[in-house]
Amino acid sequence: MKRIAVYCGSATPEDPRYIELARQVGEGLARRNIGVVYGGGRLGLMGAVANGAKQAGGEVIGVIPDALVNSEVANQNCDELITVSGMHERKQRFTDLSDGFITIPGGVGTMDELWEAMSWAQLGYHSKPVGLLNAFGFYDDLISFNAKMSEVGFVRPAHQNILIAAESLTQLIDRMKMYEPHTPIFRMKADDL
């Protein structure tokens, strides 16, 4: 994997572990010679991911909607800062520029990015690994909810392993490297659906 899109929030939680985690993710990817594609912001976890990667000598590509550039939250310290018209184009660029996705703690926007990456994988718009860094047990309930969707039958057996979760970056990257693409819905027959 040459580049990974990192999904995370622009907020700065009171608990300093989250900012430090984000910094370590950026640094960890850079040390593995994996470029970071992210939301292009300079605040919160986003800024910490970018700073960690840059300080470790890594490549950082930011993709940010023009409305946020105008709000002066853009990180001008990126190797490349791509300005797009809106969120849909932003997520498409994340997909085009990266070889996989890692979601670290975040809020509503982060969840939107994660679920879209999973949905697009399920449908067949991409065949890239979708990782979830479950640091501090932050995503325990989401992992349980994902399992519940599978148990009830809303996620087909062929798609139950799209989400790759781990508690450490090393574990997560190792699992993502072993990911074998599944059969997407676009290639399934009606009887399989």
Side-chain angles (χ1 to χ4, degrees):
M1 292 183 284
K2 288 178 52 183
R3 292 186 184 135
I4 289 180
V6 179
Y7 297 145
C8 60
S10 61
T12 302
E14 286 186 31
D15 187 338
R17 295 181 304 169
Y18 293 103
I19 291 293
E20 180 57 20
L21 171 71
R23 189 197 63 71
Q24 289 174 358
V25 166
E27 178 184 332
L29 292 173
R31 294 204 186 287
R32 290 170 174 84
N33 295 314
I34 299 172
V36 169
V37 178
Y38 87 114
R42 62 179 175 78
L43 305 176
L45 273 70
M46 272 194 213
V49 166
N51 290 340
K54 288 298 286 178
Q55 288 171 358
E59 175 192 41
V60 175
I61 298 174
V63 183
I64 191 166
D66 52 13
L68 293 176
V69 172
N70 296 335
S71 298
E72 299 180 357
V73 298
N75 183 353
Q76 301 297 332
N77 194 31
C78 295
D79 294 297
E80 183 177 0
L81 184 63
I82 300 167
T83 303
V84 295
S85 62
M87 296 303 286
H88 293 295
E89 186 181 353
R90 182 192 217 183
K91 290 182 283 187
Q92 182 64 59
R93 293 302 287 269
F94 287 153
T95 302
D96 294 343
L97 291 168
S98 68
D99 301 308
F101 313 89
I102 290 178
T103 299
I104 66 174
V108 173
T110 304
M111 292 300 90
D112 173 54
E113 292 163 341
L114 169 65
W115 289 116
E116 187 160 296
M118 289 176 61
S119 176
W120 284 15
Q122 181 176 280
L123 290 168
Y125 286 113
H126 73 77
S127 58
K128 302 170 184 184
V130 179
L132 183 71
L133 185 57
N134 188 28
F136 322 121
F138 185 82
Y139 286 120
D140 286 350
D141 293 336
L142 185 137
I143 292 166
S144 294
F145 177 65
N146 191 55
K148 180 70 170 183
M149 289 190 297
S150 297
E151 176 187 316
V152 172
F154 287 113
V155 178
R156 293 165 185 83
H159 304 136
Q160 290 176 359
N161 294 318
I162 289 175
L163 183 63
I164 303 165
E167 294 179 4
S168 76
L169 182 62
T170 298
Q171 265 184 334
L172 186 57
I173 291 173
D174 288 346
R175 290 178 185 171
M176 289 173 69
K177 285 180 179 178
M178 295 186 310
Y179 174 71
E180 293 186 25
H182 54 282
T183 302
I185 289 174
F186 291 157
R187 289 205 330 247
M188 291 180 156
K189 304 266 190 257
D191 291 343
D192 300 325
L193 299 172

